[in-house]
Structures are given as structure tokens and as C-alpha cells.
């Protein structure tokens, strides 16, 4: 009771301060229309003018420190010949983009052997590799020397490579997270917003993949979060630009595309007449086309060059999924051998049809009743649909649904506490191969500590359209779920699998986590349809 009374007093003090600022003439979020400059200043006022600003900056500093500590460990393919791993792929892309013409980056030539980690991400990744490659070339040319640098792993080059990811995280992902939290949780208490920011920045999955395994997901995911923040703040054209850039950095951002498409169309259809709705759709389409044109400009000189790039972005030969993925195709493969029963082309069509079907309920809801909150739920539901059913899925793809779950931290605190650890657990075989067991255990334990959300705050914060939505998960389910995961950890670390089934434990981890993801997807789709419709809001131009 003392804790609850203290929180009530704190909330009353916050409300009193807000009221005092309004009486003194501070800009209001509703009411009289603000000038664009004033609006931007109002949005970025938090956390710099917050009484929790020191805590907020402490969270960001701690998140940066954790990333540095994770980067001190091993990475994908460290010292593993003949082709090493993702670290070598990223380094090789820098080598190619620095030393060959733009038109040859996706083309098989004497200087660019596509069988050795050829570029298979969209142009913005190539431009990012070019920028980082020149930075490393200026300090240590041997690290990106053409042909002779394959498998180059000097201590100084590792520091440079790690720093490119750290700086990208700080320049893209961190500001995007701040912007989203400020927009989406603008009506929540400052302490709650700091906690929500911690959930976005401190969850273990992204840190282990980007700063351990070694990738640049922080750029594409950061751009997607920024695009979501632009949607929340009704800056639809800016949202189109930012999401197009995210899609042109990594094609996996397409996991969010149905949510953006459905919500923006729903907003256009809210217009009072058909002409305004049609003009809004055309305006969004032109913005996307122009952004793609700018990104693809060096490859539009000929049809052949554009097709070469497209063929690299859709490597059908990789198959339906890689390794052991906690999705539908891999989860049911023990009962039905999809890869053996169907040809590759047939599987691709099956995956496309299943993915579209799984996305449709979420899309229909946002077209019919678009809302800011429903849009974030739709990002989660559509990304889960892609993760479950799309073609060519690997373990790291679980990062796509993890992001919207973390963005819904205050709305769904128990889902955050439950889903993110299981999503990280689903990547355990990959992380163990990379030598990341110690940071995996440390970050998981840390997340369990910081993800605890006060029950009283949960009940006061979550505004739902259905009273049953605020009920907590059954204690028996949570206990049995965690115990089962603990047993699988002990089996995986301490026992030898049968010779006949050498990958038995990996298959069990995959099946166990997939069994947890399915009810989550069903619940979140139901929750999205239970949300109320937003009132119509005018689109902002900045």
C-alpha cells in the first residue's frame, strides 16, 4: 500500500507540474495549431527538460556500455575457414564497394566474385558499406584491400569494424527510439517513458546479433522505428521516405510493409470526399517511387543492371528456411517434409499465399479502423505472419517481431517480459556457434531484472476496450513455460544428443519456442481488433 500511495502522489505531482506549465503559457499538444518549428521543439522537449533526464541518459549510456561489452566477445565466423561468417561478409562488402565501380557491386566480375559473400542486400546497405569502407581504408588500408584482405582479422581492424556498428546504433537506432517513445507515450508519466525506452534499448536480441554475431540491423530497424514515429505523429510523407530507406537497407523490412500500407490507406480513406482520398494515395505513392528512384539511380541505367540487382535480393536457391527456425515450415517439418514433397517454386507460392492470408486480418482492421495504437499492433502481427510463413527465413528474422513488442512495452508489459526472452532463446544454437554464451546468459538475466513493471502502474497505464485484456497471464502457465525453457537449456549444455539425431536439441528448442509464439500471434490479432478507432487527425507537413 505504501508503494501504491507513493506512486499516486508522484502521478499527482506530475499532473500538477503539467498543469502549471500550461498555465504559464507552455505549448499544448492539443488545441491551437502550432507552427512547424514550435511543433518540432515540443516533440524533442523530452527527455531534455524532464526531471528524469539523468535517469534517461543513464539508460542510454548503460545501453551503449552493454553494446561495447558484447562487442568484446566473438563473432560470426571468427577464425573459421574457409569462408568465415557474417563478419567477413560485411568486411568484404566494404572491400568491394571501395575498390570497384558502383555498377559492378552486384555483378560477377574478376574483382567481384559473387560466390565469396556477394552483396545480397539493397543499395542503401551498399552505400553504407562504401562509407564505412572508406573510413576503415583511411586508417588501415590492409583491412579492405582488394583480393588480399579475405579473412582479415587483425585486432585493430576488429575495433574499427565494431565501431562502425556502435556508431550506426548511436546515430540511427537511439534517436529513433527516443522519437517513438516521445510520440507514442506522450500522455504517460515520465518515469514510465524512461522504462519504455529501456525496454527498446536494452533487450538482448538486437545487441547479441548486431554487436555479437555482427550485423547492421540497427540501421534498418532504426529507420523503421523512425518511420513508425512519423506515422504516430501524422507525418505520412516523412514516414514513406523513412520506411522506403529502411526497405532499401534490408529487404526484411518488408515484414512491416503490410502494416504501413494498410494504416496509411486507412488514413487516406478517412478523408471527407473521394478526391481527397485519391489525392492522398497518389501523394504517398509518388513519395515512395521518388525515394526508391534516388536509392536505385545508379542501377537504372539499363534493364540488365536493374535485373542483376533484383536477382541478388531474391536468392531462391537458399530454400524455404535456414537451420532451425521457430516458424511454421520448420516447426511442422518433423511431421511433414515440405522440402522433399514440393519443388522450390511451389514452396515459394505456398509461402506467399500463407503470408498474405496471415497478414490480411491485421491489414483489414487498419484499413477499416486505423489508429496509432492499432498500427503498432499491426507491425507486430504482420511481422509475425512473415516470420511464420514467408520464404527464406532464418533465425535472426525473429528480430523483426521483437522490435514492435518492445515498442509496446507499457501497453503489453507481460508480453515484453515473456516474448523477448523466448525470441532470444530461439536463437541460442546460432549464438552458441558464435561463442556468445556468456553475453547471452548475462543479458538474459539482466533483462529479467529490468523488465519488471509495477503492477499498479500496469493497471493505471493500460487503456483497453475490453476489461479482460488487463488480466495477467496465469501463474501456472508462466511457471511451467519458464521451467520448460530451463530444462531445455540444461539438456542443450549438459547432454550429448543421440547419434541418430545429432540436432535433436536444436529441433526441440525450435519446436518449444514456436509453440509459444503461436498463442502470442492469436492474442495480438484479437487485441488489435479490440482497439477503438482514432479520431481523424490532419496530416502534418513536416
Amino acid at each position: 500500500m505504501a508503494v501504491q500511495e507513493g506512486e499516486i502522489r508522484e502521478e499527482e505531482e506530475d499532473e500538477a507540474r503539467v498543469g502549471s506549465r500550461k498555465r504559464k503559457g507552455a505549448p499544448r499538444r492539443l488545441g491551437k495549431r502550432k507552427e512547424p518549428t514550435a511543433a518540432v521543439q515540443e516533440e524533442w522537449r523530452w527527455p531534455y527538460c524532464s526531471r528524469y533526464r539523468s535517469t534517461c541518459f543513464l539508460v542510454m549510456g548503460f545501453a551503449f556500455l552493454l553494446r561495447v561489452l558484447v562487442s568484446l566477445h566473438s563473432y560470426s565466423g571468427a577464425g573459421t575457414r574457409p569462408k568465415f561468417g557474417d563478419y567477413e561478409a560485411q568486411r568484404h562488402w566494404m572491400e568491394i564497394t571501395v575498390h570497384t565501380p558502383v555498377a559492378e557491386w552486384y555483378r560477377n566480375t574478376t574483382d567481384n566474385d559473387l560466390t565469396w559473400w556477394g552483396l545480397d542486400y539493397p543499395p542503401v546497405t551498399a552505400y553504407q558499406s562504401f562509407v564505412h569502407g572508406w573510413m576503415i581504408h583511411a586508417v588501415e588500408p590492409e583491412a579492405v584491400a582488394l583480393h588480399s584482405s579475405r579473412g582479415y582479422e587483425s585486432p585493430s581492424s576488429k575495433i574499427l569494424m565494431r565501431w562502425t556498428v556502435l556508431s550506426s546504433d548511436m546515430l540511427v537506432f537511439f534517436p529513433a527510439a527516443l522519437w517513438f517513445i516521445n510520440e507514442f507515450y506522450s500522455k504517460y508519466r515520465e518515469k514510465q517513458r524512461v522504462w519504455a525506452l529501456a525496454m527498446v534499448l536494452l533487450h538482448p536480441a538486437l545487441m547479441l546479433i548486431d554487436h555479437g554475431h555482427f550485423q547492421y540491423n540497427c540501421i534498418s530497424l532504426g529507420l523503421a522505428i523512425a518511420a513508425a514515429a512519423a506515422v504516430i505523429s501524422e507525418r505520412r510523407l516523412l514516414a514513406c521516405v523513412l520506411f522506403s530507406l529502411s526497405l532499401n537497407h534490408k529487404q526484411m523490412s518488408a515484414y512491416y510493409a503490410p502494416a504501413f500500407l494498410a494504416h496509411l490507406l486507412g488514413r487516406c480513406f478517412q478523408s471527407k470526399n473521394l478526391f481527397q482520398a485519391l489525392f492522398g494515395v497518389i501523394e504517398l505513392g509518388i513519395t515512395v517511387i521518388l525515394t526508391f528512384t534516388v536509392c536505385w539511380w545508379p542501377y537504372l541505367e539499363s534493364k540488365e543492371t536493374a535485373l542483376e540487382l533484383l536477382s541478388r535480393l531474391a536468392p531462391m536457391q537458399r530454400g524455404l528456411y535456414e537451420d532451425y527456425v521457430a516458424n511454421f515450415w520448420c516447426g511442422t517439418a518433423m511431421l511433414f517434409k515440405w522440402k522433399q514433397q514440393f519443388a522450390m517454386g511451389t514452396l515459394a507460392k505456398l509461402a506467399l499465399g500463407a503470408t498474405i492470408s496471415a497478414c490480411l486480418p491485421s491489414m483489414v482492421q487498419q484499413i477499416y479502423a486505423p489508429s496509432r495504437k492499432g498500427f503498432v499492433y499491426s507491425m507486430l502481427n504482420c511481422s509475425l505472419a512473415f516470420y511464420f510463413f514467408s520464404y527464406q527465413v532464418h533465425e535472426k528474422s525473429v528480430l523483426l517481431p521483437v522490435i514492435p513488442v518492445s515498442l509496446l512495452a507499457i501497453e503489453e508489459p507481460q508480453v515484453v517480459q515473456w516474448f523477448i526472452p523466448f525470441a532470444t532463446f530461439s536463437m541460442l544454437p546460432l549464438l552458441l556457434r558464435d561463442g556468445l554464451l556468456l553475453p547471452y546468459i548475462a543479458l538474459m538475466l539482466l533483462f529479467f531484472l529490468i523488465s519488471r513493471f509495477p503492477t499498479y502502474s500496469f493497471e493505471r497505464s493500460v487503456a483497453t476496450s475490453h476489461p479482460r485484456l488487463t488480466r495477467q497471464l496465469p501463474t501456472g502457465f508462466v511457471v511451467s513455460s519458464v521451467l520448460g525453457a530451463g530444462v531445455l537449456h540444461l539438456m542443450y549444455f549438459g547432454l550429448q544428443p543421440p547419434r541418430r539425431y545429432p540436432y535433436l536439441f536444436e529441433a526441440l528448442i525450435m519446436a518449444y519456442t514456436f509453440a509459444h509464439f503461436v498463442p502470442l500471434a492469436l492474442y495480438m490479432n484479437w487485441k488489435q481488433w479490440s482497439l477503438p478507432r482514432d479520431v481523424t487527425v490532419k496530416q502534418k507537413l513536416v
Side-chain angles (χ1 to χ4, degrees):
M1 287 296 295
V3 174
Q4 292 185 3
E5 291 174 0
E7 291 186 349
I8 294 173
R9 286 197 299 271
E10 181 182 333
E11 186 175 34
E12 291 174 348
E13 291 173 2
D14 288 342
E15 292 173 352
R17 274 189 292 275
V18 172
S20 176
R21 285 197 296 269
K22 291 180 179 178
R23 288 191 296 272
K24 291 179 181 179
R28 298 167 59 94
R29 294 192 63 83
L30 300 176
K32 188 176 179 180
R33 186 179 182 273
K34 298 173 289 201
E35 294 299 321
T37 303
V40 174
Q41 290 175 350
E42 172 72 8
E43 288 173 1
W44 287 99
R45 181 179 60 82
W46 186 84
Y48 305 106
C49 299
S50 167
R51 71 189 183 97
Y52 285 98
R53 60 182 177 273
S54 58
T55 307
C56 183
F57 289 120
L58 180 63
V59 167
M60 291 189 287
F62 185 55
F64 179 76
L65 176 62
L66 286 179
R67 284 158 167 79
V68 172
L69 293 176
V70 172
S71 69
L72 298 177
H73 291 79
S74 184
Y75 48 83
S76 173
T80 307
R81 297 180 181 277
K83 292 193 66 174
F84 303 93
D86 277 12
Y87 177 92
E88 169 61 16
Q90 302 289 344
R91 189 214 58 77
H92 179 65
W93 295 349
M94 297 179 193
E95 168 196 341
I96 294 302
T97 54
V98 166
H99 293 289
T100 62
V102 177
E104 296 182 2
W105 289 353
Y106 293 90
R107 181 180 300 166
N108 195 57
T109 65
T110 54
D111 290 330
N112 184 19
D113 181 6
L114 293 182
T115 62
W116 183 272
W117 299 115
L119 258 168
D120 54 7
Y121 284 143
V124 174
T125 287
Y127 305 145
Q128 166 238 311
S129 298
F130 175 77
V131 172
H132 287 155
W134 268 113
M135 293 168 59
I136 293 176
H137 183 269
V139 179
E140 189 171 348
E142 299 82 3
V144 289
L146 191 62
H147 300 307
S148 62
S149 60
R150 289 188 177 184
Y152 192 90
E153 294 178 318
S154 73
S156 55
S157 69
K158 293 176 188 177
I159 294 175
L160 292 171
M161 290 284 287
R162 290 296 197 184
W163 181 250
T164 60
V165 185
L166 288 166
S167 59
S168 299
D169 218 338
M170 293 296 292
L171 292 174
V172 181
F173 192 84
F174 279 52
L178 275 171
W179 184 17
F180 181 90
I181 296 300
N182 182 64
E183 288 290 344
F184 192 63
Y185 294 115
S186 59
K187 297 180 181 180
Y188 289 77
R189 289 184 292 166
E190 293 177 348
K191 183 172 70 173
Q192 294 170 322
R193 279 185 275 174
V194 173
W195 182 82
L197 179 64
M199 291 298 94
V200 179
L201 297 182
L202 296 177
H203 71 76
L206 183 60
M207 283 190 281
L208 288 168
I209 293 300
D210 273 20
H211 302 278
H213 178 83
F214 199 92
Q215 284 195 345
Y216 293 90
N217 295 291
C218 57
I219 298 178
S220 59
L221 295 177
L223 289 169
I225 293 174
V231 167
I232 300 300
S233 62
E234 296 296 330
R235 291 171 172 81
R236 299 171 200 167
L237 299 184
L238 178 59
C240 288
V241 172
L242 290 170
F243 184 68
S244 297
L245 291 174
S246 175
L247 196 55
N248 276 285
H249 186 266
K250 281 199 173 184
Q251 59 267 44
M252 285 195 306
S253 294
Y255 283 36
Y256 302 137
F260 278 88
L261 175 64
H263 179 85
L264 293 175
L265 285 178
R267 288 300 192 193
C268 290
F269 295 158
Q270 283 184 318
S271 300
K272 295 181 179 179
N273 58 63
L274 180 61
F275 175 77
Q276 287 181 342
L278 183 60
F279 178 78
V281 173
I282 294 174
E283 190 178 37
L284 296 176
I286 291 175
T287 303
V288 172
I289 291 172
L290 288 177
T291 307
F292 267 77
T293 300
V294 171
C295 294
W296 284 59
W297 186 254
Y299 304 98
L300 299 179
E301 59 179 17
S302 68
K303 181 180 178 181
E304 180 184 359
T305 305
L307 290 177
E308 284 176 345
L309 197 161
L310 282 173
S311 67
R312 295 297 303 164
L313 303 185
M316 301 295 292
Q317 69 278 6
R318 289 188 177 181
L320 189 58
Y321 54 85
E322 292 185 14
D323 294 329
Y324 286 89
V325 185
N327 73 349
F328 172 80
W329 305 114
C330 190
T332 57
M334 291 184 290
L335 303 175
F336 188 85
K337 304 299 181 183
W338 298 98
K339 293 183 178 181
Q340 298 176 11
Q341 296 296 325
F342 297 101
M344 184 171 58
T346 304
L347 286 175
K349 293 175 183 177
L350 283 174
L352 177 62
T355 304
I356 294 174
S357 300
C359 287
L360 275 178
S362 180
M363 294 180 66
V364 169
Q365 191 275 335
Q366 277 303 284
I367 293 175
Y368 173 72
S371 65
R372 299 172 185 84
K373 191 180 296 185
F375 164 69
V376 184
Y377 278 89
S378 184
M379 285 181 67
L380 171 58
N381 291 326
C382 291
S383 59
L384 278 173
F386 269 79
Y387 179 73
F388 284 161
F389 299 110
S390 64
Y391 191 85
Q392 227 306 287
V393 179
H394 49 73
E395 307 102 311
K396 298 183 289 293
S397 299
V398 78
L399 289 177
L400 277 298
V402 162
I403 292 299
V405 165
S406 67
L407 296 179
L408 288 168
I410 299 179
E411 295 293 330
E412 302 286 350
Q414 282 205 315
V415 172
V416 169
Q417 297 166 2
W418 181 68
F419 175 75
I420 291 181
F422 273 94
T424 310
F425 177 38
S426 72
M427 298 188 291
L428 179 58
L430 171 69
L431 299 173
L432 198 61
R433 287 198 303 270
D434 293 339
L436 297 172
L437 177 59
L438 179 59
Y440 166 81
I441 295 174
L443 290 177
M444 288 282 272
L445 292 175
L446 177 64
F447 184 80
F448 276 116
L449 292 176
I450 64 175
S451 63
R452 293 179 59 83
F453 196 79
T455 303
Y456 174 76
S457 297
F458 167 67
E459 293 173 350
R460 295 272 297 185
S461 299
V462 181
T464 66
S465 58
H466 198 292
R468 287 184 297 170
L469 297 181
T470 60
R471 293 182 179 178
Q472 298 185 12
L473 292 173
T475 303
F477 171 78
V478 174
V479 172
S480 61
S481 178
V482 173
L483 285 177
V487 170
L488 283 176
H489 276 87
L490 294 175
M491 292 172 60
Y492 193 58
F493 296 146
L495 299 178
Q496 290 292 330
R499 291 184 179 180
R500 187 177 178 182
Y501 303 105
Y503 301 106
L504 174 64
F505 297 150
E506 287 86 348
L508 289 175
I509 291 173
M510 172 273 302
Y512 191 74
T513 50
F514 173 64
H516 284 73
F517 295 162
V518 171
L520 171 74
L522 295 175
Y523 164 75
M524 287 309 224
N525 273 277
W526 171 65
K527 180 68 176 286
Q528 182 184 335
W529 274 90
S530 303
L531 296 172
R533 182 199 299 259
D534 274 355
V535 296
T536 304
V537 182
K538 286 187 177 181
Q539 177 180 353
K540 298 178 183 178
L541 299 178
V542 295

